[in-house]
Amino acid sequence: QVLLVQSGAEVKKPGASVTVSCKASGYTFTNYYIHWVRQAPGQGLEWMGIINTSSGSIGYAQKFQGRVTVTRDTSTSTVYMELTSLESEDTALYYCARRAVSGSGSPNWIDSWGQGTLVTVSS
Amino acid sequence: EMVMTQSPATLSVSPGERATLSCRASQSVSSNLAWYQQKPGQTPRLLIYGASTRATGIPARFSGSGSGTEFTLTISSLQSEDFAVYYCQQYNHWPRITFGQGTRLEIK
């Protein structure tokens, strides 16, 4: 079955950077895009970006442009999300999630989620 | 910038009754809309895609409708396990997606 396993919780100071990993298994890694979505405590879902795991091309939400970098390692079926210049408002649960449909184009809903990685930003 | 607005923020309904949740897009998204359910401590679960197609394993009491800018998720007869937060998500502007802020469905 599809499995997305994320790295463990992180505690960072303001101004620092964090990298969260997401290891995929149970399917052909390069056939499906991976999203990054975050959820602040008690809040809703916020889309951050997406990566084409085959070509490596990416798209980011305008809010995070310049602060987020998503990469992938096809040899280990792992996607990485780095967020820099952390602020307290970045405290959230960060999810990787698989786009449900292979190939590019409009169908862009999500069918599988990682377990989430809690990033806490505190001085 | 695409904005998805869900209403109401909180909906109180008795078990066995019908629940109707709304989602409005700031511009047309055609039928490129999905709905998710999220329970406390869990990841979101896909319910509906293409505005009205139920995902695999989703009970028939869940139905979606709408197109353009106005969408509805209806739960025909609420079960205890249906009380959760529901999110809509548009995917009309590849590759970017946008979530609504969520509707909390609580027991009346």
Side-chain angles (χ1 to χ4, degrees):
Chain A
Q1 80 282 18
V2 175
L3 203 56
L4 301 173
V5 178
Q6 299 183 222
S7 49
E10 303 265 10
V11 179
K12 296 291 183 180
K13 294 192 182 302
S17 299
V18 68
T19 298
V20 179
S21 67
C22 170
K23 183 173 177 59
S25 62
Y27 69 97
T28 302
F29 176 69
T30 51
N31 281 359
Y32 293 85
Y33 289 62
I34 291 288
H35 291 274
W36 286 92
V37 177
R38 76 177 186 180
Q39 187 169 36
Q43 302 301 307
L45 303 168
E46 182 174 33
W47 182 72
M48 300 180 68
I50 185 172
I51 186 166
N52 179 331
T53 52
S54 179
S55 69
S57 63
I58 42 82
Y60 298 133
Q62 191 166 0
K63 174 177 179 176
F64 299 101
Q65 287 272 5
R67 234 178 25 109
V68 68
T69 303
V70 177
T71 57
R72 95 291 189 216
D73 181 344
T74 57
S75 68
T76 60
S77 300
T78 303
V79 178
Y80 300 90
M81 187 282 298
E82 179 189 28
L83 188 63
T84 62
S85 303
L86 291 169
E87 304 173 351
S88 57
E89 291 76 22
D90 293 315
T91 294
L93 198 54
Y94 288 77
Y95 292 107
C96 62
R98 192 186 81 156
R99 175 174 173 253
V101 178
S102 61
S104 63
S106 181
N108 198 9
W109 59 89
I110 291 168
D111 68 350
S112 300
W113 299 73
Q115 83 276 19
T117 296
L118 180 61
V119 175
T120 303
V121 183
S122 174
S123 55
Chain B
E1 180 192 350
M2 173 67 70
V3 177
M4 305 299 292
T5 302
Q6 293 186 239
S7 61
T10 302
L11 181 63
S12 299
V13 182
S14 300
E17 294 188 342
R18 174 188 299 257
T20 302
L21 290 67
S22 296
C23 175
R24 173 176 292 178
S26 60
Q27 55 189 276
S28 177
V29 298
S30 187
S31 294
N32 296 316
L33 187 104
W35 289 94
Y36 301 85
Q37 175 195 68
Q38 188 178 32
K39 298 179 180 179
Q42 297 185 16
T43 61
R45 177 174 73 144
L46 177 68
L47 299 175
I48 300 283
Y49 60 89
S52 61
T53 302
R54 279 190 301 277
T56 302
I58 301 304
R61 64 180 182 272
F62 290 89
S63 64
S65 63
S67 66
T69 62
E70 300 284 345
F71 300 89
T72 300
L73 176 69
T74 302
I75 311 171
S76 59
S77 178
L78 279 164
Q79 307 296 303
S80 58
E81 62 266 29
D82 299 336
F83 293 95
V85 179
Y86 291 82
Y87 295 95
C88 62
Q89 175 234 314
Q90 71 79 23
Y91 50 92
N92 195 55
H93 300 285
W94 174 262
R96 289 166 177 77
I97 65 175
T98 313
F99 292 95
Q101 83 280 15
T103 290
R104 182 177 306 276
L105 181 58
E106 64 177 29
I107 300 175
K108 187 173 182 180

